[in-house]
Amino acid sequence: MIWNQHYECMPREQLKDLQLERLRKTLERVYHNVPFYRQKLQEAGFEPGDLQSLDDLQKLPFTAKQDLRDNYPFGMFAVPMSEIVRVHASSGTTGKPTVVGYTRSDINTWAELMARTLTCGGTTKNSVIQVAYGYGLFTGGLGVHYGAERIGASVIPISGGNTQRQIMLMEDFGTTVLACTPSYAIYLAEAMEEMGVDKNRLKLQYGVFGAEPWSERMRQEIEKRLNIKAIDIYGLSEVIGPGVASECQEQKGLHIFEDHFLPEVIDPVTEKPLPFGEKGELVFTSLTKEGIPIIRYRTRDITTLKAEVCSCGRTHVRMEKVMGRTDDMLIIRGVNVFPSQIESVLLEIGDTEPHYLLVVDRKGSLDELEVQVEVSQAMFSDKVKGLETLEKTIHHRIESLLGISAKVKLVEPHSIPRSEGKAKRVIDKRSL
Ligand code: DLL
């Protein structure tokens, strides 16, 4: 099923014309309404009228998260506050959050994009969708909510947390679609197993999971433990929230909704655009937003764009599953590692639970990585010898696959805090 055949399956040439026209309007809008962009464009010697083709995008300046912080709270808005009908903000671990604003038309666009996203996964008006993303300043809850209502599905706006109650309602209300972070999906699966819930009695068919990096292995784990199909959905507040890209039933990359967002992948160091197929940092330019249009926003997310046509019929380019954020990348004695890579190794070995924590510290001048992972209950009750062997196996596998030597610490089942939203996988003691 495709929500908007016209735009999602538009021939590429026609799509490019549409993008150029929309980019022109966006540049006009920011040039005349946002002092930050006017100044940046003037510094780059570029006026909106100079735009000739989509290739000119490369002449435009980048925007970083810090720019939004510097203009806190509403300095990047392109309309007066009287036109803003909703504000969201991303949590931000330190300091002030980054704030985004939506006009009525933006909310409409967002609902449309979320209707596309959910339809990509299989939601219809007959679906019962349990929205266990947090409601509030976070874009997850309300984003999914509006999209599901647009489709006409029955929405259960339960928000995150309250795990036992989630499971009770899932059984009683006959939930068919679960929307939450992948780490919360695993927590729900674990809680169901402990409560002795018979999964065959549930009506759950699939889940729309995102808001944090999760490996292909984690997908398999969720699909197995919840007996559902797990669909990856991607987005970020600065660009609109969820609804930027979504996997279709093929589960082979996420379609970027290119009639609204122009993607690029750049080398994060040289800032030069990379061709399709090469891994780098994802950058977005919004094409239709009014409240807070965004030009060449550096997401810090690492992925690859692929141009091959998808068998689902959509013509929009796909991005690979996000490997991680540059901010979360660990540099251990010169080797770059993403938490998702360690996650894959752990899940592949088995005998552990999908709950882990990476602790980075500096001893003298050397960085050290400790991988804490919960062992399975069966393994935990086993002989000490078995645990020692498992520890060694994990150590060797990480070393041979990723090229780093990590200290492995097996911990008791349930000792790593569970996440109801975005999981915290890394503790970096070097920056404490
Ligand atoms: O997390 C929006 C969202 C809500 C997406 C619900 C999907 C589902 P922020 O809080 O601004 O917005 O965080 C955005 O989360 O830059 C990525 O690093 C990460 N992220 C989001 N989706 C995925 C995904 C929401 N599917 C940041 N895979 C982004 C990997 C993701 N990382």
Side-chain angles (χ1 to χ4, degrees):
M1 280 261 293
I2 294 179
W3 176 254
N4 191 326
Q5 188 90 23
H6 176 70
Y7 285 106
E8 292 178 74
C9 303
M10 192 175 254
R12 299 242 14 124
E13 283 310 309
Q14 202 181 330
L15 181 64
K16 280 188 180 162
D17 290 344
L18 179 75
Q19 288 175 323
L20 184 62
E21 179 197 320
R22 290 181 166 179
L23 179 59
R24 192 169 285 136
K25 281 194 190 137
T26 299
L27 285 180
E28 292 282 355
R29 186 176 289 140
V30 297
Y31 192 83
H32 295 295
N33 300 304
V34 188
F36 165 82
Y37 282 119
R38 184 159 50 246
Q39 195 189 335
K40 289 270 253 184
L41 286 167
Q42 280 169 350
E43 280 166 15
F46 198 97
E47 286 194 12
D50 297 337
L51 186 76
Q52 298 297 326
S53 76
L54 288 174
D55 291 338
D56 288 337
L57 188 65
Q58 292 180 27
K59 298 179 184 157
L60 305 179
F62 290 105
T63 307
K65 198 176 187 78
Q66 190 59 40
D67 294 321
L68 273 82
R69 291 220 174 97
D70 293 345
N71 289 284
Y72 176 85
F74 309 137
M76 299 287 272
F77 290 9
V79 296
M81 275 311 272
S82 56
E83 296 301 312
I84 295 287
V85 301
R86 176 99 64 80
V87 167
H88 280 284
S90 81
S91 44
T93 37
T94 49
K96 304 271 194 193
T98 42
V99 184
V100 292
Y102 303 71
T103 62
R104 192 170 300 285
S105 157
D106 290 335
I107 293 289
N108 188 41
T109 306
W110 193 19
E112 153 78 17
L113 291 173
M114 283 311 297
R116 280 190 200 179
T117 295
L118 297 172
T119 307
C120 264
T123 305
T124 67
K125 70 186 292 294
N126 298 319
S127 304
V128 178
I129 177 165
Q130 185 156 338
V131 186
Y133 283 114
Y135 279 64
L137 286 174
F138 176 55
T139 52
L142 283 165
V144 175
H145 185 108
Y146 272 58
E149 276 195 356
R150 173 74 49 107
I151 293 174
S154 313
V155 182
I156 308 172
I158 186 166
S159 194
N162 222 331
T163 304
Q164 314 257 316
R165 194 176 167 79
Q166 297 267 3
I167 295 167
M168 179 182 83
L169 298 192
M170 202 178 287
E171 278 191 290
D172 297 349
F173 294 0
T175 302
T176 60
V177 185
L178 172 65
C180 64
T181 58
S183 52
Y184 193 43
I186 279 288
Y187 181 13
L188 282 166
E190 179 183 61
M192 272 181 210
E193 284 153 19
E194 277 158 16
M195 286 161 72
V197 173
D198 176 5
K199 267 170 263 166
N200 295 321
R201 272 195 27 239
L202 295 180
K203 298 220 173 86
L204 211 54
Q205 289 165 354
Y206 82 98
V208 277
F209 305 123
E212 63 185 3
W214 51 309
S215 61
E216 208 46 62
R217 285 273 167 192
M218 187 62 94
R219 186 211 301 273
Q220 290 165 11
E221 186 78 17
I222 294 173
E223 293 195 330
K224 187 177 77 196
R225 288 176 74 164
L226 281 175
N227 193 19
I228 58 170
K229 195 163 173 132
I231 298 284
D232 192 1
I233 68 170
Y234 171 88
L236 58 165
S237 335
E238 294 85 349
V239 176
I240 203 161
V244 175
S246 174
E247 273 183 344
C248 59
Q249 305 271 331
E250 302 294 321
Q251 295 177 301
K252 288 191 186 127
L254 296 83
H255 289 279
I256 297 174
F257 299 130
E258 280 186 284
D259 48 332
H260 294 274
F261 311 108
L262 209 49
E264 298 172 85
V265 163
I266 62 160
D267 178 320
V269 180
T270 64
E271 298 189 335
K272 291 271 174 284
L274 296 172
F276 282 108
E278 280 191 34
K279 192 174 286 170
E281 180 181 347
L282 194 56
V283 170
F284 281 110
T285 299
S286 71
L287 296 173
T288 50
K289 279 209 306 178
E290 296 180 346
I292 178 165
I294 198 113
I295 307 293
R296 301 193 89 193
Y297 184 70
R298 294 190 56 166
T299 63
R300 305 184 193 181
D301 293 324
I302 300 295
T303 188
T304 309
L305 293 180
K306 34 187 201 177
E308 298 89 61
V309 180
C310 182
S311 50
C312 74
R314 290 177 181 84
T315 51
H316 294 182
V317 298
R318 282 171 288 167
M319 55 187 256
E320 268 174 13
K321 222 170 183 339
V322 171
M323 193 174 185
R325 296 177 57 77
T326 49
D327 334 28
D328 288 341
M329 188 178 78
L330 305 166
I331 306 180
I332 309 293
R333 298 177 192 176
V335 182
N336 300 349
V337 191
F338 286 99
S340 62
Q341 293 176 292
I342 294 184
E343 177 178 293
S344 296
V345 174
L346 295 174
L347 291 177
E348 194 187 308
I349 294 171
D351 289 330
T352 58
E353 291 294 325
H355 302 288
Y356 64 95
L357 197 58
L358 310 178
V359 185
V360 191
D361 204 353
R362 184 169 288 150
K363 296 274 158 62
S365 60
L366 284 183
D367 291 331
E368 280 191 355
L369 171 65
E370 181 179 86
V371 177
Q372 297 183 4
V373 58
E374 285 182 14
V375 284
S376 63
Q377 193 63 50
M379 194 71 200
F380 189 66
S381 349
D382 200 31
K383 299 187 196 69
V384 177
K385 186 115 184 46
L387 293 176
E388 278 173 6
T389 313
L390 178 61
E391 223 168 65
K392 279 196 188 124
T393 309
I394 297 175
H395 178 89
H396 284 137
R397 202 69 70 85
I398 291 178
E399 192 157 43
S400 67
L401 285 174
L402 307 176
I404 55 166
S405 169
K407 190 173 155 212
V408 178
K409 187 174 170 192
L410 298 176
V411 298
E412 280 179 45
H414 288 286
S415 56
I416 290 176
R418 302 298 187 250
S419 140
E420 294 171 349
K422 297 183 190 241
K424 187 167 170 50
R425 304 284 194 201
V426 179
I427 294 180
D428 195 339
K429 292 189 172 167
R430 297 171 303 185
S431 52
L432 292 183

